[in-house]
Amino acid sequence: MTVFRMLLPLLVAVVPAAPALAEVDSFMEALRVIEDQDGRETFEEARSVRPGEVIEYRLTYKNSESTPVSQLKVKGPVPAGTRYVADSARSDVRARLRFSHDGGVTWQAAPLKRKAADGKGEEVVPPEHYSHVQWTAGQPLEKGKPQTYSYRVQVAEPEKPGTP
């Protein structure tokens, strides 16, 4: 079975949109979600992953200045070779949640819609086709009060040669 090691390097570029005067520190974890026989979840660091496994990304932001940061924007990509897990995005603060299906060019609340392939009307974009997750914090990021955002992806099976 193939082991993927591409997930963590792709997420290092996640940064907040914060005023230039505030110093915001960010920390990201990639955790493998392990479910026991009773349906309870545990987590372990995702150093490598296999097709079918679910990874939870946790992004934590801290403000080290006394000035609160308003309208913090947090973005997370859905790495190549993975699929966003529907309804998995969470935050520990009130936040506006939006998604992109086109590499971050456009953003919408779920369910995403795009022009239909036949050019007539719109169609719903399945969550497994989302390319990015984005939150805009509904409350300021204050010193000493970190904010955490998370979402899950599932590692896709490798495509077989000749598959359309």
Side-chain angles (χ1 to χ4, degrees):
M1 195 173 269
T2 305
V3 176
F4 292 90
R5 296 182 184 270
M6 80 310 197
L7 301 177
L8 197 55
L10 290 173
L11 291 172
V12 175
V14 177
V15 295
L21 299 177
E23 186 170 326
V24 175
D25 298 316
S26 62
F27 175 74
M28 197 251 348
E29 297 175 278
L31 303 168
R32 180 176 307 143
V33 180
I34 302 165
E35 192 171 311
D36 70 14
Q37 295 172 341
D38 297 324
R40 289 182 298 237
E41 293 182 342
T42 58
F43 303 90
E44 67 179 30
E45 185 178 354
R47 294 177 185 252
S48 63
V49 295
R50 297 183 185 281
E53 290 184 323
V54 174
I55 305 303
E56 180 169 295
Y57 292 112
R58 292 184 190 162
L59 301 93
T60 302
Y61 290 82
K62 296 178 182 177
N63 180 359
S64 57
E65 302 292 327
S66 59
T67 305
V69 177
S70 297
Q71 298 291 309
L72 177 73
K73 277 197 183 192
V74 176
K75 294 180 189 176
V78 176
T82 69
R83 296 184 178 111
Y84 172 74
V85 174
D87 302 320
S88 67
R90 305 272 184 267
S91 62
D92 62 0
V93 296
R94 186 175 41 85
R96 180 177 65 172
L97 177 62
R98 299 187 310 160
F99 301 92
S100 178
H101 66 85
D102 57 10
V105 175
T106 60
W107 297 92
Q108 303 171 39
L112 274 63
K113 294 184 180 177
R114 64 181 168 209
K115 193 175 207 175
D118 63 6
K120 299 177 183 175
E122 292 182 324
E123 63 185 9
V124 173
V125 178
E128 60 268 17
H129 292 174
Y130 293 3
S131 63
H132 290 79
V133 181
Q134 179 190 71
W135 297 265
T136 302
Q139 62 190 65
L141 178 61
E142 297 184 30
K143 183 175 184 175
K145 296 182 180 177
Q147 295 180 4
T148 301
Y149 304 82
S150 66
Y151 64 105
R152 293 180 177 186
V153 300
Q154 184 174 33
V155 179
E157 295 289 335
E159 291 187 25
K160 295 178 179 146
T163 303

